[in-house]
Amino acid sequence: MIKLPHVLVIAERPDAIAELTAGAAGLAEKVTLVYSGAREAAVNAAAAYYAGTLESHSFLSYLPSIAALVRELRPQLVLTEATKNGRAAAAAAAAAAGTSVQTDAVSLSLEDGRVSTQRMVYGGAAFQTQSGLGETAVVCAAAGLFEAGEKQPAAQIFELEPHSAGVRLLERRTKEEKSVNLNAAKIVIGAGRGFGCAENLALARELAAVIGAEVGCSRPVAEEEKWMPKEAYIGVSGVMIKPELYIACGISGQVQHMTGVSQARTIVAVNKDSGAPIFEKCDYGIVGDLNTVLKALIQAFKK
Amino acid sequence: MKIAVCYKYVPEEEEIRVLDDRTLDFSKAQWKIGQYDLNAVEAGMQLAEAAGGEVVVLTAGDAAVDNSKLKKSILSRGPSMMYGIKDAGMSGADSSATAKVLKAGIEKIGDIQLVLCGEGSGDIYAQQTGVMLGAALGWPCVNAVSSLTLQEGRLIAERSLEHSVEVLEVTLPAVISVTSDINIPRIPPMRDILGAGKKPSACWTLDEAGAAVENGTRTHSILAPEQTDRRRIIFEDDGEQSIHALCEHLRKII
């Protein structure tokens, strides 16, 4: 593969900075980074442009500087994180480069210098394959598109200038930190309505602790029953996961949930209803009582 | 204040069929207003009702732009007038192309102080058209807005990010994309559904709007995913033997 001359990465979380710069290094001769947060988070870049800690400005105030940087550097690819700020930055970069953004890319390939990506459309019914037409492609990378590698501190750090951009930050409120990190988990346990009540989820958490898993849930558990936070729900409009092992407990297997776990290597289903659609879409299934099965699994794996 | 809400009509998801060659068949699918755009219409109505003003709606698309059922559906939610830009090339237009066409529409309508969009379209959900429209107009644009109020003539937006919420004062004119939890869109009463048919609308060609469809990306294919063949080894009871056998399989993975 012939590498691209230059990729501009725009990211804010330290993990994402490490992943996107590692991915960019595989695609390009030169990597430039735009980032915010901790100053020392700049890695794997020949030059890094720092937007500060965002205490007194919205990231939106840096978009004019980012657009100017895109016009000046004319990178062949701009890679951003699929966060709200990443999407806004991608739009600013695309407008500056006269192109559109390829968002939520779950795969990326390079052929004859053209960047092609795949993304999910129509609520998971299909994948769209697209490529950029202009000199610069802009891609908003879905979580997990690249893996972090070795981290070398960035060679040079420059300050990025904030502009008003028509927005003034009056206050920043911190959201409660979510402990769920389903994207990175190797094993995920999915909790469905079959648990009956929020208290019973303790069994799922206990099994998770024993086998080193994260716990997610189906949409009704988060949005209707509110037994778990919205961030924990797995499905097309929630979190899409690709663990080694997914254990669905008390989940019937609606299409939109199953699309969210379709990339799991192995799917195990525990459900008391032998007619549940999930038994058609799993590798191993057990028809039975959740309490009985989970308790037995906890005992078995404690040893 | 004059507010324009942009919307997209999208196919009813359940009525899309997957054909044997994994392509999608939309011929049986009805059109509907994108679900996230309904939040934008509702946000516009609430602002106008609280602070005074007028809400109009704008869409760009192909043949169904002036479909009377869709027109009634959007106008029954309160807006006073519907504007459409119609061109066959709009089917499959990407977010940059759409933003430029909508920009022409906003300028032709004239006197707009605030543009509202849903966070993403109901079909593609790239979450780009709103922010690209802001960039095309050269107006401030804010995405992920979960609360929007006018306080003494100042537009105050709460922007809901992954780990924090920004409270922002936004200079008008501006483009705002609202999240799906900003409000619960009203269900129009029969009176408004009937009244919607009498509201005015305008449908322009690209030429009349002074726009062109210029895509920045090319779509090569839209295909249903290949189904992964699962082993489907099912234990029909939760007795000791079944659980033991399941554990044996799991031990190879965990």
Side-chain angles (χ1 to χ4, degrees):
Chain A
M1 182 186 78
I2 300 166
K3 283 190 172 185
L4 299 171
H6 192 183
V7 176
L8 177 68
V9 171
I10 305 172
E12 51 186 337
R13 289 179 308 116
D15 288 353
I17 294 172
E19 287 164 19
L20 294 190
T21 51
L27 295 167
E29 304 290 344
K30 185 182 170 193
V31 178
T32 301
L33 172 68
V34 169
Y35 73 113
S36 60
R39 194 180 179 87
E40 62 278 7
V43 292
N44 307 333
Y49 292 82
Y50 183 45
T53 56
L54 304 183
E55 262 165 41
S56 52
H57 290 93
S58 167
F59 185 74
L60 296 175
S61 294
Y62 292 89
L63 297 186
S65 294
I66 291 173
L69 205 57
V70 170
R71 279 189 289 264
E72 181 195 325
L73 300 176
R74 301 169 65 141
Q76 285 68 40
L77 172 63
V78 178
L79 261 183
T80 80
E81 218 179 325
T83 54
K84 299 299 179 188
N85 282 334
R87 291 176 199 280
T99 186
S100 280
V101 183
Q102 304 177 46
T103 54
D104 303 284
V106 292
S107 75
L108 183 153
S109 63
L110 196 57
E111 214 169 296
D112 301 327
R114 277 260 160 256
V115 176
S116 295
T117 60
Q118 276 200 316
R119 73 185 304 272
M120 197 174 272
V121 291
Y122 299 111
F127 282 91
Q128 174 186 29
T129 305
Q130 57 180 347
S131 60
L133 291 172
E135 184 189 336
T136 299
V138 182
V139 172
C140 197
L145 178 60
F146 300 113
E147 276 176 30
E150 258 182 72
K151 293 175 202 165
Q152 297 292 332
Q156 293 179 82
I157 298 178
F158 303 100
E159 309 299 317
L160 206 62
E161 282 299 309
H163 293 72
S164 103
V167 294
R168 192 160 68 89
L169 182 67
L170 303 177
E171 186 192 346
R172 181 182 297 283
R173 293 199 292 264
T174 309
K175 276 190 185 174
E176 255 177 75
E177 280 300 317
K178 302 295 184 299
S179 57
V180 206
N181 190 1
L182 296 170
N183 290 118
K186 295 279 179 242
I187 307 175
V188 174
I189 298 174
R193 260 194 178 143
F195 276 90
C197 66
E199 289 68 39
N200 288 349
L201 291 179
L203 268 181
R205 296 201 180 91
E206 196 181 338
L207 177 62
V210 171
I211 61 176
E214 290 278 352
V215 181
C217 64
S218 63
R219 195 192 55 78
V221 164
E223 291 204 334
E224 288 165 35
E225 308 289 353
K226 302 195 193 306
W227 297 340
M228 290 192 72
K230 226 174 106 185
E231 288 74 11
Y233 107 63
I234 302 163
V236 173
S237 50
V239 187
M240 309 280 289
I241 58 170
K242 47 176 179 182
E244 293 293 316
L245 174 62
Y246 177 60
I247 306 176
C249 304
I251 287 177
S252 63
Q254 297 299 323
V255 174
Q256 93 103 21
H257 181 80
M258 295 316 290
T259 307
V261 302
S262 64
Q263 301 204 51
R265 166 122 357 132
T266 303
I267 297 178
V268 173
V270 184
N271 203 301
K272 66 171 189 251
D273 173 13
S274 63
I278 195 158
F279 288 121
E280 298 292 313
K281 293 164 185 162
C282 67
D283 295 288
Y284 304 103
I286 184 159
V287 182
D289 176 61
L290 272 182
N291 285 315
T292 309
V293 176
L294 292 189
K295 278 179 187 158
L297 290 179
I298 291 164
Q299 284 309 316
F301 284 95
K302 258 186 184 166
K303 286 173 194 160
Chain B
M1 179 159 72
K2 195 166 170 185
I3 301 170
V5 180
C6 300
Y7 69 98
K8 182 179 186 180
Y9 54 87
V10 299
E12 190 73 61
E13 258 163 43
E14 279 115 53
E15 294 168 1
I16 301 173
R17 289 190 313 151
V18 176
L19 303 179
D20 289 342
D21 63 356
R22 289 165 55 212
T23 56
L24 304 185
D25 173 17
F26 297 95
S27 61
K28 298 272 190 312
Q30 303 257 0
W31 295 109
K32 62 171 183 181
I33 309 292
Q35 52 179 327
Y36 308 107
D37 300 338
L38 297 180
N39 295 106
V41 175
E42 183 62 34
M45 289 312 298
Q46 288 185 9
L47 268 187
E49 283 159 5
E54 185 193 5
V55 178
V56 299
V57 286
L58 169 66
T59 191
D62 54 11
V65 161
D66 50 1
N67 171 307
S68 69
K69 190 177 135 251
L70 290 173
K71 211 154 72 182
K72 265 187 211 166
S73 168
I74 192 91
L75 288 173
S76 67
R77 291 158 207 276
S80 62
M81 180 159 179
M82 176 258 168
Y83 296 89
I85 300 172
K86 184 169 154 181
D87 188 87
M90 279 304 296
S91 93
D94 67 17
S95 46
S96 157
T98 305
K100 283 178 192 156
V101 172
L102 291 174
K103 168 191 186 272
I106 297 290
E107 287 171 347
K108 192 170 166 76
I109 296 168
D111 201 27
I112 299 293
Q113 283 94 45
L114 178 64
V115 176
L116 297 178
C117 298
E119 190 70 351
S121 61
D123 51 0
I124 306 295
Y125 202 60
Q127 303 173 58
Q128 284 295 315
T129 302
V131 269
M132 299 260 352
L133 176 57
L137 285 162
W139 294 1
C141 56
V142 183
N143 62 345
V145 170
S146 55
S147 161
L148 197 58
T149 50
L150 270 167
Q151 295 172 13
E152 294 153 13
R154 301 187 310 161
L155 186 69
I156 307 295
E158 290 190 12
R159 182 168 180 253
S160 189
L161 303 176
E162 289 73 15
H163 299 290
S164 68
V165 175
E166 296 177 341
V167 182
L168 301 168
E169 182 183 344
V170 186
T171 309
L172 296 173
V175 180
I176 305 275
S177 301
V178 302
T179 60
S180 58
D181 54 4
I182 190 169
N183 54 41
I184 297 167
R186 68 191 66 184
I187 295 168
M190 190 46 78
R191 170 175 49 90
D192 292 352
I193 296 173
L194 294 173
K198 300 188 189 84
K199 288 183 179 176
S201 64
C203 186
W204 299 317
T205 62
L206 277 182
D207 274 351
E208 284 166 343
V213 179
E214 293 160 347
N215 289 310
T217 51
R218 192 172 76 196
T219 294
H220 299 274
S221 64
I222 292 182
L223 293 173
E226 282 180 84
Q227 294 298 317
T228 316
D229 278 334
R230 297 283 174 188
R231 279 177 285 252
R232 286 165 56 187
I233 299 170
I234 311 293
F235 303 100
E236 299 291 345
D237 63 72
D238 56 12
E240 227 169 272
Q241 271 192 332
S242 296
I243 290 178
H244 180 76
L246 175 65
C247 283
E248 288 308 302
H249 288 294
L250 288 180
R251 276 188 208 287
K252 290 173 204 153
I253 307 162
I254 297 173

